[in-house]
Amino acid sequence: MNAHDGGRQQLDAASVLNARTTLVQLLARAGVYSGDAEELIGLVEAGALALARQEVEALGREAPQEKGEPYGSGWLDGARSLADGLDRIAEEALRRAVAAGVPDRSADDRPPVGRMELERAKVAVLPLYLSFTDVSDLDPEATDQVLKALLATLTSRQRAGYPGRLTDFATTHRPRLERLYEEYGPGSAIAIHGRYSLVHSPTSIAVLERLADDPAPLRDEWDAAELPPAWLDGLTTAWERSGTGG
């Protein structure tokens, strides 16, 4: 880190590499495979670049008006050029992140679901689920099986951005989801065991998103994983009925 005469502090390349290596080593001591750690760090880096792009775009609309129109036009062109450059760098960072530990993996491939992808999905679904209802005692092993089936329908790139997709889905369909969980979820008259069992699981948010967006691949992976067909049928029925308010 360089800081001269109380000026701005910026991380130099050696300091950034040191922090990254330290984090990988600390995660390794906690049992996290280095490839998984590199993937997580890479996703954070790609995300930081994408957010920086958004900030540059916003700055491009804030040209000092007192400088005149030619200055403002140049300001906007410069901001757009910088944003485009950040966009390309962020894209490359994302490609590296999803290939971490698996050099021949493409961001557009649908490889077997990795442990870190599964853990990221768990972290994504739980808070969304808790915004609608309570945690149930559905078998944790079933949670893993369901998430693996639905993640298998996505490319590596889509898996990286899946938490955002789930958040958008929950926000867009909140009233409908509230009706669904009130009628079929924990605390309702519907028992946890039966065709509506999956409504009692945090994974239901993710399954509902897939059913609404692209159900055919999900059904294929569901059958391949030998998951109970009644779970998927029950969730489909609950989703359809919640759409009509009854």
Side-chain angles (χ1 to χ4, degrees), residues 27 30 33 91 137 172 200 226 242:
L27 289 171
Y33 168 60
E91 172 72 14
D137 57 356
T172 301
H200 293 251
E226 298 183 345
S242 66

mmCIF file with all atom_site columns, all heavy atoms in Angstrom, residues 27 30 33 91 137 172 200 226 242:
data_model
loop_
_atom_site.group_PDB
_atom_site.id
_atom_site.type_symbol
_atom_site.label_atom_id
_atom_site.label_alt_id
_atom_site.label_comp_id
_atom_site.label_asym_id
_atom_site.label_entity_id
_atom_site.label_seq_id
_atom_site.pdbx_PDB_ins_code
_atom_site.Cartn_x
_atom_site.Cartn_y
_atom_site.Cartn_z
_atom_site.occupancy
_atom_site.B_iso_or_equiv
_atom_site.pdbx_formal_charge
_atom_site.auth_seq_id
_atom_site.auth_comp_id
_atom_site.auth_asym_id
_atom_site.auth_atom_id
_atom_site.pdbx_PDB_model_num
ATOM 1  N N   . LEU A 1 27  ? -8.464  -20.247 4.142   1.00 0.00 ? 27  LEU A N   1
ATOM 2  C CA  . LEU A 1 27  ? -9.584  -21.108 3.773   1.00 0.00 ? 27  LEU A CA  1
ATOM 3  C C   . LEU A 1 27  ? -9.153  -22.561 3.672   1.00 0.00 ? 27  LEU A C   1
ATOM 4  O O   . LEU A 1 27  ? -9.911  -23.477 4.031   1.00 0.00 ? 27  LEU A O   1
ATOM 5  C CB  . LEU A 1 27  ? -10.195 -20.633 2.455   1.00 0.00 ? 27  LEU A CB  1
ATOM 6  C CG  . LEU A 1 27  ? -10.963 -19.314 2.519   1.00 0.00 ? 27  LEU A CG  1
ATOM 7  C CD1 . LEU A 1 27  ? -11.342 -18.836 1.127   1.00 0.00 ? 27  LEU A CD1 1
ATOM 8  C CD2 . LEU A 1 27  ? -12.216 -19.470 3.379   1.00 0.00 ? 27  LEU A CD2 1
ATOM 9  N N   . ALA A 1 30  ? -9.236  -24.206 6.865   1.00 0.00 ? 30  ALA A N   1
ATOM 10 C CA  . ALA A 1 30  ? -10.611 -24.501 7.277   1.00 0.00 ? 30  ALA A CA  1
ATOM 11 C C   . ALA A 1 30  ? -11.219 -25.629 6.461   1.00 0.00 ? 30  ALA A C   1
ATOM 12 O O   . ALA A 1 30  ? -12.387 -25.969 6.631   1.00 0.00 ? 30  ALA A O   1
ATOM 13 C CB  . ALA A 1 30  ? -11.466 -23.247 7.138   1.00 0.00 ? 30  ALA A CB  1
ATOM 14 N N   . TYR A 1 33  ? -11.102 -26.413 -0.372  1.00 0.00 ? 33  TYR A N   1
ATOM 15 C CA  . TYR A 1 33  ? -10.204 -26.728 -1.481  1.00 0.00 ? 33  TYR A CA  1
ATOM 16 C C   . TYR A 1 33  ? -9.757  -25.446 -2.169  1.00 0.00 ? 33  TYR A C   1
ATOM 17 O O   . TYR A 1 33  ? -10.539 -24.512 -2.349  1.00 0.00 ? 33  TYR A O   1
ATOM 18 C CB  . TYR A 1 33  ? -10.935 -27.657 -2.449  1.00 0.00 ? 33  TYR A CB  1
ATOM 19 C CG  . TYR A 1 33  ? -10.278 -27.860 -3.788  1.00 0.00 ? 33  TYR A CG  1
ATOM 20 C CD1 . TYR A 1 33  ? -9.001  -28.398 -3.895  1.00 0.00 ? 33  TYR A CD1 1
ATOM 21 C CD2 . TYR A 1 33  ? -10.961 -27.509 -4.955  1.00 0.00 ? 33  TYR A CD2 1
ATOM 22 C CE1 . TYR A 1 33  ? -8.403  -28.586 -5.126  1.00 0.00 ? 33  TYR A CE1 1
ATOM 23 C CE2 . TYR A 1 33  ? -10.376 -27.695 -6.197  1.00 0.00 ? 33  TYR A CE2 1
ATOM 24 C CZ  . TYR A 1 33  ? -9.092  -28.236 -6.270  1.00 0.00 ? 33  TYR A CZ  1
ATOM 25 O OH  . TYR A 1 33  ? -8.503  -28.401 -7.504  1.00 0.00 ? 33  TYR A OH  1
ATOM 26 N N   . GLU A 1 91  ? -15.986 -9.275  -17.490 1.00 0.00 ? 91  GLU A N   1
ATOM 27 C CA  . GLU A 1 91  ? -16.349 -10.490 -18.214 1.00 0.00 ? 91  GLU A CA  1
ATOM 28 C C   . GLU A 1 91  ? -15.220 -11.516 -18.167 1.00 0.00 ? 91  GLU A C   1
ATOM 29 O O   . GLU A 1 91  ? -15.449 -12.702 -17.925 1.00 0.00 ? 91  GLU A O   1
ATOM 30 C CB  . GLU A 1 91  ? -16.680 -10.135 -19.658 1.00 0.00 ? 91  GLU A CB  1
ATOM 31 C CG  . GLU A 1 91  ? -16.887 -11.323 -20.589 1.00 0.00 ? 91  GLU A CG  1
ATOM 32 C CD  . GLU A 1 91  ? -18.176 -12.069 -20.333 1.00 0.00 ? 91  GLU A CD  1
ATOM 33 O OE1 . GLU A 1 91  ? -19.036 -11.515 -19.624 1.00 0.00 ? 91  GLU A OE1 1
ATOM 34 O OE2 . GLU A 1 91  ? -18.328 -13.196 -20.826 1.00 0.00 ? 91  GLU A OE2 1
ATOM 35 N N   . ASP A 1 137 ? -38.188 -28.928 9.082   1.00 0.00 ? 137 ASP A N   1
ATOM 36 C CA  . ASP A 1 137 ? -37.233 -29.987 9.406   1.00 0.00 ? 137 ASP A CA  1
ATOM 37 C C   . ASP A 1 137 ? -37.141 -31.008 8.271   1.00 0.00 ? 137 ASP A C   1
ATOM 38 O O   . ASP A 1 137 ? -36.865 -32.180 8.483   1.00 0.00 ? 137 ASP A O   1
ATOM 39 C CB  . ASP A 1 137 ? -37.632 -30.700 10.700  1.00 0.00 ? 137 ASP A CB  1
ATOM 40 C CG  . ASP A 1 137 ? -39.040 -31.288 10.645  1.00 0.00 ? 137 ASP A CG  1
ATOM 41 O OD1 . ASP A 1 137 ? -39.728 -31.068 9.627   1.00 0.00 ? 137 ASP A OD1 1
ATOM 42 O OD2 . ASP A 1 137 ? -39.446 -31.948 11.616  1.00 0.00 ? 137 ASP A OD2 1
ATOM 43 N N   . THR A 1 172 ? -40.146 -9.963  -7.622  1.00 0.00 ? 172 THR A N   1
ATOM 44 C CA  . THR A 1 172 ? -41.179 -9.803  -8.648  1.00 0.00 ? 172 THR A CA  1
ATOM 45 C C   . THR A 1 172 ? -42.476 -10.512 -8.271  1.00 0.00 ? 172 THR A C   1
ATOM 46 O O   . THR A 1 172 ? -43.575 -10.007 -8.520  1.00 0.00 ? 172 THR A O   1
ATOM 47 C CB  . THR A 1 172 ? -40.674 -10.343 -9.996  1.00 0.00 ? 172 THR A CB  1
ATOM 48 O OG1 . THR A 1 172 ? -39.496 -9.628  -10.375 1.00 0.00 ? 172 THR A OG1 1
ATOM 49 C CG2 . THR A 1 172 ? -41.727 -10.203 -11.080 1.00 0.00 ? 172 THR A CG2 1
ATOM 50 N N   . HIS A 1 200 ? -42.125 -26.897 2.293   1.00 0.00 ? 200 HIS A N   1
ATOM 51 C CA  . HIS A 1 200 ? -41.550 -26.768 3.631   1.00 0.00 ? 200 HIS A CA  1
ATOM 52 C C   . HIS A 1 200 ? -40.033 -26.693 3.587   1.00 0.00 ? 200 HIS A C   1
ATOM 53 O O   . HIS A 1 200 ? -39.395 -26.720 4.638   1.00 0.00 ? 200 HIS A O   1
ATOM 54 C CB  . HIS A 1 200 ? -41.982 -27.959 4.499   1.00 0.00 ? 200 HIS A CB  1
ATOM 55 C CG  . HIS A 1 200 ? -43.443 -27.986 4.797   1.00 0.00 ? 200 HIS A CG  1
ATOM 56 N ND1 . HIS A 1 200 ? -43.962 -27.711 6.054   1.00 0.00 ? 200 HIS A ND1 1
ATOM 57 C CD2 . HIS A 1 200 ? -44.519 -28.246 4.012   1.00 0.00 ? 200 HIS A CD2 1
ATOM 58 C CE1 . HIS A 1 200 ? -45.272 -27.807 6.027   1.00 0.00 ? 200 HIS A CE1 1
ATOM 59 N NE2 . HIS A 1 200 ? -45.646 -28.145 4.800   1.00 0.00 ? 200 HIS A NE2 1
ATOM 60 N N   . GLU A 1 226 ? -33.769 -39.155 -9.622  1.00 0.00 ? 226 GLU A N   1
ATOM 61 C CA  . GLU A 1 226 ? -34.726 -40.055 -8.971  1.00 0.00 ? 226 GLU A CA  1
ATOM 62 C C   . GLU A 1 226 ? -35.356 -39.406 -7.735  1.00 0.00 ? 226 GLU A C   1
ATOM 63 O O   . GLU A 1 226 ? -35.546 -40.050 -6.700  1.00 0.00 ? 226 GLU A O   1
ATOM 64 C CB  . GLU A 1 226 ? -34.056 -41.383 -8.606  1.00 0.00 ? 226 GLU A CB  1
ATOM 65 C CG  . GLU A 1 226 ? -33.546 -42.142 -9.834  1.00 0.00 ? 226 GLU A CG  1
ATOM 66 C CD  . GLU A 1 226 ? -32.946 -43.493 -9.469  1.00 0.00 ? 226 GLU A CD  1
ATOM 67 O OE1 . GLU A 1 226 ? -32.662 -43.728 -8.280  1.00 0.00 ? 226 GLU A OE1 1
ATOM 68 O OE2 . GLU A 1 226 ? -32.787 -44.321 -10.383 1.00 0.00 ? 226 GLU A OE2 1
ATOM 69 N N   . SER A 1 242 ? -51.714 -20.461 -6.429  1.00 0.00 ? 242 SER A N   1
ATOM 70 C CA  . SER A 1 242 ? -51.369 -19.167 -5.819  1.00 0.00 ? 242 SER A CA  1
ATOM 71 C C   . SER A 1 242 ? -51.463 -18.036 -6.829  1.00 0.00 ? 242 SER A C   1
ATOM 72 O O   . SER A 1 242 ? -51.646 -16.872 -6.466  1.00 0.00 ? 242 SER A O   1
ATOM 73 C CB  . SER A 1 242 ? -49.959 -19.215 -5.221  1.00 0.00 ? 242 SER A CB  1
ATOM 74 O OG  . SER A 1 242 ? -48.978 -19.362 -6.236  1.00 0.00 ? 242 SER A OG  1
#
